[in-house]
Amino acid sequence: VAAFDSCWTSTIPPTYQTSAKGLLNTTVFLTTTLNICAQEVDLSWSDYIGWTGIDHYEIHGRKLGESWVNFGSTTDGTFTVSVDDASTYCFVIEAICTTGVGAFSNISCIYIAIPGQPLFNYLKLATVNGETIELTHYIDISTNVAELSIQKMDEFGVYNEIALLPVTGQTMYYTDVFVEVHKNSYSYQVQVIDSCFLAGEISNIAKTILLNVQNDDVRKLNYLNWSSYQDFDGSILGYNIYRGINGVFSGSPIDNVPSGQFSYEDDVNSVVSIGKICYYVEAIEATNSFGFAEQSRSNESCIVQEPTIYIPNSFSPDGDERNQVFLPILSDFDPSEYELKIYNRWGQPIYISNDPAIGWNGIVKGTNQMAGTGTYLYSVTLIDGNGVEIFKKGHVNLLK
């Protein structure tokens, strides 16, 4: 501030006479910054300039809708205030001179936001793959999601964290190897960990399918029972049933059943196998609200059909085209290690066949001579669908 008198000079333009200028004075400017994870507001301001001395600064503030309060004082140019989330706060700084005079800063207001939750947090699939379970998760990454807590339900119905995954994309994958897919179905959920590393929203639950198979050896019927899949966003259109012969599955299901059906009877009388027949079922999802249509597989469940073994006690290689060959009648076994042996009365092998379709026609091996009428010892060795060796021996009568 400068004072001007009423006199002026004769110069053009005229100038006025003035006294010395007063001291420069600069106001306080306040800025506020939110520390969202600590739920604190950091205040910083410029110094008041123009006084011979600053005693201290008073920090005034209020929560929107409440009265102004004094949060404290400092001789520094910064101050931190703890606040409640989802509220608006306003602050002002009062500079106090050593003479007791005060000067206020600007008012700075700030909304106390909380870490945003994702628009979607969807566990899209849990499916059995061999001896493991694979999870596929779909997450909104427009918000500050830091990690995903993968959780599995234990035998007491409590979900426990089994993995913590950093979010690297919209679609996340996890494989659980600590499972017994032939004994149990498993339930999973995913919890969001926000940018402040606080637990957030929990996804839907996904529960795998458990398949069990039993069989009737005599009627050659296999009975399938399975648990329902949970919990697709879309409805379940039905369940595909797949059959594998000797460990090999064809590309197409043998049948499809409605979504409310959880059992199936399979007639395998006409099925040719080495005795091992396996199954799995697959839940088929209709297109859901996210535009997905997934399929969840059950475990593979196998049965071993006991081999059928019928061995004649006599044959007559006399050229009349009837009963000319001694040939065991077999089914549901592994022919790769089949062996038929014929022994003479002294226990010496006189015929060997490793082809279950070729029997003994009475010719003694190495001589091309027909064996004489009498009783001979035989042995049959084969492998069932479980890889277990079955050995049969007995006597056969050669008649003429």
Side-chain angles (χ1 to χ4, degrees):
V1 175
F4 290 81
D5 62 21
S6 59
C7 299
W8 64 87
T9 66
S10 59
T11 59
I12 298 174
T15 59
Y16 294 90
Q17 305 297 313
T18 180
S19 66
K21 294 178 181 179
L23 295 174
L24 178 69
N25 281 254
T26 303
T27 58
V28 177
F29 183 71
L30 169 65
T31 59
T32 53
T33 303
L34 174 63
N35 185 334
I36 192 171
C37 295
Q39 286 188 259
E40 294 176 341
V41 174
D42 296 322
L43 291 77
S44 61
W45 57 89
S46 60
D47 289 333
Y48 186 91
I49 299 174
W51 290 334
T52 56
I54 299 293
D55 186 74
H56 66 279
Y57 295 95
E58 297 284 341
I59 293 84
H60 305 283
R62 74 184 183 100
K63 188 177 181 179
L64 194 64
E66 299 181 2
S67 302
W68 287 90
V69 296
N70 190 313
F71 281 97
S73 63
T74 182
T75 57
D76 297 327
T78 60
F79 195 83
T80 299
V81 179
S82 295
V83 291
D84 299 327
D85 59 29
S87 302
T88 298
Y89 283 80
C90 293
F91 298 94
V92 64
I93 302 300
E94 184 183 11
I96 305 297
C97 180
T98 53
T99 63
V101 177
F104 288 97
S105 72
N106 59 304
I107 296 175
S108 180
C109 297
I110 188 170
Y111 176 72
I112 314 304
I114 57 177
Q117 295 297 306
L119 295 176
F120 49 87
N121 174 30
Y122 176 51
L123 185 49
K124 64 188 290 190
L125 180 65
T127 186
V128 176
N129 184 2
E131 301 298 319
T132 68
I133 293 176
E134 294 182 348
L135 305 180
T136 305
H137 188 259
Y138 187 56
I139 183 73
D140 171 28
I141 57 175
S142 64
T143 55
N144 294 322
V145 178
E147 297 174 319
L148 297 178
S149 172
I150 311 299
Q151 301 172 0
K152 179 169 64 176
M153 189 171 71
D154 62 20
E155 64 271 25
F156 304 107
V158 177
Y159 282 91
N160 300 299
E161 183 177 279
I162 59 173
L164 197 59
L165 305 181
V167 176
T168 57
Q170 198 168 61
T171 302
M172 300 288 295
Y173 303 94
Y174 179 75
T175 300
D176 187 7
V177 299
F178 299 103
V179 289
E180 295 181 291
V181 296
H182 303 286
K183 294 182 179 180
N184 303 297
S185 63
Y186 292 88
S187 297
Y188 299 87
Q189 65 183 22
V190 177
Q191 188 168 29
V192 169
I193 307 299
D194 65 25
S195 57
C196 295
F197 296 96
L198 300 174
E201 291 184 352
I202 296 175
S203 74
N204 58 305
I205 292 172
K207 184 178 182 181
T208 59
I209 306 169
L210 176 63
L211 170 66
N212 289 299
V213 180
Q214 296 178 322
N215 69 313
D216 184 332
D217 279 334
V218 177
R219 300 173 63 197
K220 299 194 76 171
L221 297 175
N222 295 334
Y223 304 100
L224 287 67
N225 292 276
W226 63 91
S227 60
S228 63
Y229 180 83
Q230 299 173 354
D231 184 18
F232 283 136
D233 179 69
S235 61
I236 294 179
L237 297 176
Y239 292 92
N240 285 333
I241 300 170
Y242 293 84
R243 180 207 291 148
I245 305 301
N246 308 330
V248 179
F249 285 89
S250 63
S252 302
I254 60 171
D255 209 343
N256 176 273
V257 298
S259 60
Q261 181 174 331
F262 306 107
S263 62
Y264 186 79
E265 180 181 297
D266 187 27
D267 186 337
V268 293
N269 277 281
S270 61
V271 174
V272 178
S273 76
I274 66 172
K276 188 173 185 178
I277 303 178
C278 299
Y279 299 88
Y280 71 86
V281 299
E282 182 180 61
I284 307 300
E285 181 190 19
T287 303
N288 59 33
S289 61
F290 299 101
F292 305 133
E294 297 289 343
Q295 299 86 39
S296 176
R297 286 179 53 161
S298 73
N299 57 298
E300 292 182 11
S301 185
C302 303
I303 62 96
V304 173
Q305 184 76 34
E306 288 294 325
T308 299
I309 303 174
Y310 170 71
I311 302 177
N313 59 10
S314 300
F315 76 113
S316 177
D318 55 6
D320 65 358
E321 298 183 355
R322 292 180 300 174
N323 200 21
Q324 297 297 294
V325 177
F326 171 65
L327 180 66
I329 299 173
L330 310 169
S331 67
D332 302 308
F333 71 102
D334 183 353
S336 64
E337 298 187 49
Y338 169 82
E339 184 178 71
L340 168 65
K341 283 187 176 183
I342 307 297
Y343 305 87
N344 61 22
R345 69 178 68 181
W346 299 282
Q348 298 168 327
I350 59 173
Y351 178 79
I352 298 176
S353 173
N354 295 113
D355 187 339
I358 299 177
W360 185 40
N361 60 2
I363 301 296
V364 176
K365 179 182 178 182
T367 67
N368 289 325
Q369 300 294 317
M370 177 64 67
T373 302
T375 300
Y376 294 84
L377 180 68
Y378 70 81
S379 68
V380 176
T381 303
L382 53 87
I383 304 296
D384 71 9
N386 274 331
V388 177
E389 182 179 275
I390 297 175
F391 181 78
K392 298 286 186 181
K393 67 179 181 178
H395 294 89
V396 59
N397 297 310
L398 190 156
L399 306 176
K400 292 183 181 179

